[in-house]
């Protein structure tokens, strides 16, 4: 997702959700260049995505490349998975011209994030646009967790994405947010854990270049 709606000063997203978050762990600091911070090895039976790069087909001609970190904590791993699934699902909605609406399942329907996401997807449909190419999500981490709230961060690189018409033909003029430096940014989400055991997004924030946190996403 490339949020044009929720511009932010990048105050902690979970702090905006409920109350002050717990301090980030010392070994979970943001790694410059989108690298994955080293963490202790765990048993192979740890639930959640396996570390490494996964390529997911969101729609014909549109793929999402996700670099999964090695995250030993099951709760943080579930938060990261929900964050990445939401990112993928929103691009799937764009790539299918609104045919796939599964993205709404990963967002709290009573939150500001819900309207942000719906407005973003509807903008493509209104302009009869779609997308092709590769969107990259990396340096995924959970800097803070408190009770039923958490913050998830991830670097996004949209330089491999091109807007098209609904038949898949690239537009002659591509928007600035698909070009450097704006196409590489830090996405942050405030997450909430529902009574059904599902982590859902409640708040979106992002940092654009030349914000220092966005600079750390550059490779």
């Amino acid at each position: 997702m490339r949020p044009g709606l929720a511009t932010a000063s990048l105050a902690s997203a979970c702090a905006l959700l409920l109350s002050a978050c717990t301090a980030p762990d010392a070994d979970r600091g943001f790694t410059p260049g989108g690298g994955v911070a080293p963490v202790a090895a765990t048993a192979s039976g740890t639930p959640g995505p396996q570390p490494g790069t996964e390529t997911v087909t969101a729609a014909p001609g549109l793929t999402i490349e996700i670099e999964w970190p090695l995250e030993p904590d099951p709760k943080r791993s579930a938060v990261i998975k929900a964050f990445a699934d939401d990112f993928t699902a929103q691009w799937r909605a764009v790539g299918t011209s609104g045919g796939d609406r599964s993205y709404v399942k990963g967002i709290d329907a009573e939150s500001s994030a819900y309207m942000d996401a719906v407005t973003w997807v509807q903008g493509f449909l209104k302009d009869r646009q779609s997308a092709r190419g590769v969107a990259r999500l990396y340096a995924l981490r959970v800097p803070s967790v408190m009770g039923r709230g958490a913050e998830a961060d991830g670097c996004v690189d949209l330089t491999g994405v091109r807007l098209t018409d609904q038949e898949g033909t690239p537009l002659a003029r591509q928007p600035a947010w698909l070009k450097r430096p704006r196409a590489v940014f830090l996405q942050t989400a405030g997450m909430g854990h529902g009574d059904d055991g599902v982590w859902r997004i409640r708040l979106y924030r992002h940092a654009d270049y030349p914000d220092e946190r966005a600079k750390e996403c550059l490779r």
Side-chain angles (χ1 to χ4, degrees), residues 22-58:
T22 56
D25 294 342
D27 64 348
R28 297 177 189 273
F30 195 85
T31 305
V36 178
V39 294
T42 59
S44 59
T46 300
Q50 295 300 304
T53 301
E54 178 184 11
T55 299
V56 180
T57 299

Side-chain angles (χ1 to χ4, degrees), residues 12 14 20 66 71 88 104 113 115 130 141 143 158 188 217 219:
S12 172
C14 62
I66 305 170
E71 176 49 73
T88 301
V104 298
M115 186 54 65
S130 186
R141 61 188 286 266
L158 300 182
T188 294
C217 289
R219 289 178 159 176

Side-chain angles (χ1 to χ4, degrees), residues 47-214:
Q50 295 300 304
T53 301
E54 178 184 11
T55 299
V56 180
T57 299
L62 179 62
T63 59
I64 310 299
E65 190 175 280
I66 305 170
E67 293 183 15
W68 297 109
L70 176 59
E71 176 49 73
D73 182 76
K75 179 181 286 187
R76 291 176 187 267
S77 180
V79 170
I80 288 172
K81 179 70 163 54
F83 178 83
D85 284 351
D86 170 75
F87 181 88
T88 301
Q90 290 194 44
W91 279 107
R92 185 178 295 117
V94 171
T96 60
S97 299
D100 190 308
R101 284 183 50 82
S102 61
Y103 71 96
V104 298
K105 298 178 181 178
I107 310 171
D108 187 329
E110 298 181 358
S111 69
S112 64
Y114 186 88
M115 186 54 65
D116 286 345
V118 170
T119 300
W120 187 76
V121 171
Q122 289 299 318
F124 285 89
L125 304 186
K126 176 177 175 291
D127 295 335
R128 299 187 61 79
Q129 294 178 351
S130 186
R132 298 292 186 273
V134 181
R136 294 180 172 85
L137 186 63
Y138 54 96
L140 290 162
R141 61 188 286 266
V142 179
S144 50
V145 178
M146 54 164 193
R148 299 177 69 172
E151 177 187 341
D153 291 351
C155 288
V156 177
D157 183 344
L158 300 182
T159 56
V161 176
R162 293 294 177 266
L163 292 195
T164 70
D165 59 24
Q166 291 187 325
E167 285 68 49
T169 302
L171 303 183
R173 297 186 62 182
Q174 295 291 318
W177 57 267
L178 288 180
K179 302 174 184 177
R180 288 182 179 271
R182 291 183 60 192
V184 180
F185 57 94
L186 177 73
Q187 176 80 43
T188 294
M191 314 281 290
H193 195 240
D195 293 335
D196 58 358
V198 176
W199 285 97
R200 293 185 177 86
I201 294 180
R202 294 179 176 173
L203 179 73
Y204 291 115
R205 289 289 185 266
H206 75 282
D208 279 324
Y209 185 90
D211 185 286
E212 290 302 316
R213 296 186 75 189

